[in-house]
Amino acid sequence: MATLRKQYVVSRPVFSEDSFAENYEKINRIHKTTKDHIRQYFSDSKRVKKAALSLLPVIEWMRSYRLKQWLMGDVVSGVSTGLVAIMQGLAFSLLASLPASYGLYTAFFPVLTYFLLGTSRHISVGSFPVLSLMVGAVVTRLVPEDGPPAMIPAFTNLTQDQQRVLVASSITFLMGIIQLAMGVFQVGFVVMYLSDTLVSGFTTAAAIHILVSQLKFVLGLTVPGISGPLAIIYTLEKLFVQIHSTNICDLVMSVVIMVVVFIVKELNDRYRAKLPVPIPIEVIMTIIACGISYGFNFTERFKVEVVGEMVSGYEAPVAPNMDIIRDGGVEAFPMAIVGFTVAFSVAKVYSIKHDYAIDGNQELIAFGVSNMFSATFRSFAASTSLSRTAVQESSGGRTQIAGLISALMAMIVTIALGFLLEPLPRSVLGALVIVNLKGMLMQFTEVPYLWRRDRIECVVWVGTCTAAIFLGLDLGLAVGLGVELLTVVFRAQFPRCSVLANIRGTDLYRDRKDYLHIYEPPGVKIFRIPSPIFFANVEFFRNKLIEAVGFNPLRVLKKRNKALRKIKKMLQQNNYHITEMDLPFKVDWRSEMASDLGVPRVNLQSLLLDFSAVSFLDISALKGLKAVLLFLAHVLETFHRFAFFDDEIQTFMFYPTLHDAMVQVTETNQSSNYKPMVRASQTKMRNDCNVSAGFQLCS
């Protein structure tokens, strides 16, 4: 990269805040009230029309739809994505502890409403493994496999599968209500509190949970679903207790499928540019497995557990159960957050790639309505899948018409072809789930990178992942969010303060520890604090400032006052006619006499504070600053608003830039031939350095 050698010369006076205000008039802006904003918003007809159309984004992109150029790509993409969505729906329904056929519902119903309400043109809406696992945790808690279900009146006269479907749909409906409410009240910004590091650690832990939950299908073992803290430990214990009962047919079939699918997926990635569409290896292996299982009667000969009876067609809508909603409300909130976070993150990637805008609040509304609508038809929680979305985009999909076609594919299988999947071994679905975890499990490689780059971020990743693994996904997310907020507090409470120096020949100031060719005027210190100053870090700031100047002002003040009392006592003993407050001469506190009296020598003449990076100060910080008379470089408006200035601290002591302050201080010190002293005509506490409350500014 070429080094820029351009130069610029600026000739202007040295400004203080007072002189700057005299030369340049400032506009007094009138801040509008909420009522004014509302009136202005609805008085603009174009804005109202745009807001109304934003509720149905499909209208906007359908207007610009290029039928000849885009339709064929959407059709091909829809067919490819539909095949993947069908397989993932079947597989992820096992994570939700539901019959496989209900996974096809999740591949159909949410897509219909998202087609109308969503702002992303590329994400594939449907089941997501992490959400499916979180739904499964609620399902197995309320309807365990090896025990009686929860005492819910609606469970009466229902089979276990029906009870579980009712639980999953009710929790999904509540999740949709939460997302819809967040969208209506414009709180889509909450996703910003979930950093990429936190999401990475959380999804990695979820991948481990998913892996462990699928081992029972791969090994052909009967292990009841367990939820709650340390559930992963108890599940592994039950697996290893039964490991000698492993079904060899399930194990061999699973290993073969995982190897083949993994290899073909790698080839798809490597030759992505040459392949018109990715090879649908999951579909191919599913068809082969179904044929072999049916032809060799795996169920009878090898005791292989299969998908079994598939629900043909769609059932009548069902209302959510309020007892389940009250019991599972705690789990629904993290599900709503996780589902939206993942979907919005994926949507943002593709919106940037294809240069169009997405609206976080509208996405919340879209997913909220989609989950509420699909839950009434016995579907479970929907979000998006990165692998499925990648297929939709890479195979030529331009709009959600591709998603609509994929939903039609799922509908065809549900209505007419579902019976063909009945002999499909569950171990095949488990193997497909595991092999699709590669992307999430590979996130472990981020840990060394984070450790080298930012150890605090590494702590967030490890803390979130560890908590989610051992405490469960819901508690793990809460712990991870807590750790992340603590790191923010830590960074703000203990910022990296520094002493600056001038880079010779420039008006630039940098940390004196980082550069060799620097200029530091004698008797001048420049102290920088790079964060807001508030009640939690004001003491830290005071301590760092004392450390920077190299002496404790309060201790120096006490020593000087003690020396003054000693001098007065000596003069009174020699019959000098002086009052208690006056001395007939000035004391040079840097002289040998002052040292003999035990007064530390202070060579500091001026202290400049660089507050250009300080975004705000609270009342506690202002009280601490008001005790000192300092040259400050910024935040003048805050001081005015809180009545910071008084007779002792004036605006002429503030400068618009650090360089203005440095030039003024250097010239003042050189012209005044600085001599710190106590004047005889002033009060005992008065000297050329104002001292108060443990701070000192020498002027």
Side-chain angles (χ1 to χ4, degrees), residues 41 47-61 113-119 180 183-186 359 361-367 369:
Y41 186 88
R47 184 176 295 178
V48 173
K49 181 180 178 181
K50 184 178 179 181
L53 290 176
S54 68
L55 296 176
L56 287 173
V58 63
I59 297 175
E60 182 180 351
W61 60 260
T113 46
Y114 188 86
F115 174 82
L116 300 173
L117 301 174
T119 58
L180 178 61
V184 169
F185 291 105
Q186 304 286 293
D359 184 348
N361 292 309
Q362 181 62 27
E363 286 293 292
L364 275 169
I365 293 173
F367 276 104
V369 173

Side-chain angles (χ1 to χ4, degrees), residues 56-90:
L56 287 173
V58 63
I59 297 175
E60 182 180 351
W61 60 260
M62 282 293 285
R63 285 177 174 177
S64 58
Y65 191 81
R66 301 174 186 174
L67 189 64
K68 294 182 179 179
Q69 293 93 332
W70 292 357
L71 183 59
M72 184 55 66
D74 279 339
V75 171
V76 173
S77 173
V79 173
S80 303
T81 307
L83 294 174
V84 177
I86 291 167
M87 295 301 101
Q88 290 189 350
L90 294 172

Side-chain angles (χ1 to χ4, degrees), residues 501-513:
N502 176 245
I503 305 298
R504 289 185 179 275
T506 72
D507 60 351
L508 304 177
Y509 295 83
R510 296 290 185 268
D511 191 334
R512 63 190 302 273
K513 297 179 181 179

Side-chain angles (χ1 to χ4, degrees), residues 578-591:
I578 63 170
T579 65
E580 185 179 353
M581 302 298 293
D582 294 329
L583 287 176
F585 55 84
K586 300 175 182 178
V587 178
D588 184 353
W589 293 113
R590 292 191 295 180
S591 65

Side-chain angles (χ1 to χ4, degrees), residues 433-481:
V433 170
I434 291 174
V435 79
N436 277 287
L437 296 177
K438 177 202 167 188
M440 289 193 287
L441 291 174
M442 288 299 292
Q443 292 175 140
F444 271 113
T445 59
E446 295 179 12
V447 176
Y449 172 81
L450 290 173
W451 182 256
R452 292 191 303 268
R453 296 289 182 178
D454 191 336
R455 295 189 177 183
I456 293 180
E457 287 291 295
C458 186
V459 169
V460 172
W461 196 101
V462 174
T464 303
C465 185
T466 304
I469 289 173
F470 293 105
L471 300 180
L473 296 181
D474 48 356
L475 292 177
L477 180 62
V479 170
L481 186 58

Side-chain angles (χ1 to χ4, degrees), residues 131 134 170-188 190 324-326 328-340 360-361 363-373 375:
L131 272 185
M134 296 176 79
S170 299
I171 291 298
T172 300
F173 190 87
L174 178 58
M175 169 186 166
I177 290 177
I178 294 171
Q179 290 177 329
L180 178 61
M182 292 171 66
V184 169
F185 291 105
Q186 304 286 293
V187 291
V190 297
I324 296 174
I325 287 177
R326 282 192 294 269
V330 176
E331 290 99 329
F333 184 76
M335 286 166 54
I337 297 296
V338 170
F340 170 65
N361 292 309
E363 286 293 292
L364 275 169
I365 293 173
F367 276 104
V369 173
S370 296
N371 280 305
M372 292 172 64
F373 172 72

Side-chain angles (χ1 to χ4, degrees), residues 319-364:
N321 183 268
M322 296 307 298
D323 293 323
I324 296 174
I325 287 177
R326 282 192 294 269
D327 204 327
V330 176
E331 290 99 329
F333 184 76
M335 286 166 54
I337 297 296
V338 170
F340 170 65
T341 301
V342 172
F344 185 74
S345 300
V346 175
K348 187 165 60 175
V349 169
Y350 287 99
S351 69
I352 294 172
K353 181 177 179 180
H354 294 276
D355 192 25
Y356 63 89
I358 57 172
D359 184 348
N361 292 309
Q362 181 62 27
E363 286 293 292
L364 275 169

Side-chain angles (χ1 to χ4, degrees), residues 87-387:
M87 295 301 101
Q88 290 189 350
L90 294 172
F92 295 161
S93 63
L94 300 184
L95 295 174
S97 300
L98 299 174
S101 56
Y102 290 94
L104 298 179
Y105 289 13
T106 308
F108 176 70
F109 288 108
V111 181
L112 302 181
T113 46
Y114 188 86
F115 174 82
L116 300 173
L117 301 174
T119 58
S120 174
R121 304 176 190 176
H122 291 88
I123 65 172
S124 174
V125 178
S127 54
F128 177 58
V130 177
L131 272 185
S132 302
L133 189 67
M134 296 176 79
V135 171
V138 184
V139 169
T140 55
R141 179 172 64 82
L142 297 181
V143 189
E145 291 183 8
D146 57 352
M151 299 297 293
I152 295 176
F155 285 170
T156 306
N157 299 324
L158 295 181
T159 65
Q160 186 182 73
D161 284 346
Q162 291 172 334
Q163 292 172 350
R164 291 189 163 196
V165 170
L166 182 61
V167 171
S169 61
S170 299
I171 291 298
T172 300
F173 190 87
L174 178 58
M175 169 186 166
I177 290 177
I178 294 171
Q179 290 177 329
L180 178 61
M182 292 171 66
V184 169
F185 291 105
Q186 304 286 293
V187 291
F189 65 87
V190 297
V191 71
M192 302 305 174
Y193 289 96
L194 301 179
S195 67
D196 292 343
T197 304
L198 184 146
V199 172
S200 174
F202 176 78
T203 52
T204 303
I208 295 175
H209 277 283
I210 294 169
L211 174 63
V212 172
S213 70
Q214 296 306 291
L215 289 178
K216 65 180 180 181
F217 298 112
V218 171
L219 300 175
L221 302 175
T222 302
V223 178
I226 303 172
S227 60
L230 301 181
I232 193 170
I233 303 297
Y234 298 137
T235 302
L236 287 172
E237 179 189 11
K238 292 183 179 294
L239 283 171
F240 282 109
V241 167
Q242 302 180 51
I243 197 72
H244 61 279
S245 302
T246 298
N247 188 311
I248 301 301
C249 181
D250 275 323
L251 179 60
V252 172
M253 191 161 38
S254 299
V255 171
V256 170
I257 287 176
M258 283 191 285
V259 171
V260 173
V261 172
F262 177 80
I263 292 173
V264 175
K265 278 181 169 289
E266 291 296 311
L267 293 175
N268 280 339
D269 290 339
R270 178 170 297 184
Y271 299 104
R272 182 183 307 170
K274 298 180 180 180
L275 293 172
V277 294
I279 301 172
I281 186 60
E282 291 100 333
V283 178
I284 295 172
M285 296 306 296
T286 299
I287 294 173
I288 293 174
C290 280
I292 294 176
S293 175
Y294 179 78
F296 290 94
N297 196 11
F298 276 10
T299 305
E300 298 295 333
R301 294 181 62 183
F302 302 108
K303 306 301 179 185
V304 171
E305 187 178 3
V306 296
V307 168
E309 183 180 358
M310 296 285 292
V311 178
S312 178
Y314 295 106
E315 303 177 30
V318 61
N321 183 268
M322 296 307 298
D323 293 323
I324 296 174
I325 287 177
R326 282 192 294 269
D327 204 327
V330 176
E331 290 99 329
F333 184 76
M335 286 166 54
I337 297 296
V338 170
F340 170 65
T341 301
V342 172
F344 185 74
S345 300
V346 175
K348 187 165 60 175
V349 169
Y350 287 99
S351 69
I352 294 172
K353 181 177 179 180
H354 294 276
D355 192 25
Y356 63 89
I358 57 172
D359 184 348
N361 292 309
Q362 181 62 27
E363 286 293 292
L364 275 169
I365 293 173
F367 276 104
V369 173
S370 296
N371 280 305
M372 292 172 64
F373 172 72
S374 61
T376 59
F377 289 93
R378 296 177 173 83
S379 178
F380 58 89
S383 179
T384 189
S385 166
L386 182 58
S387 60

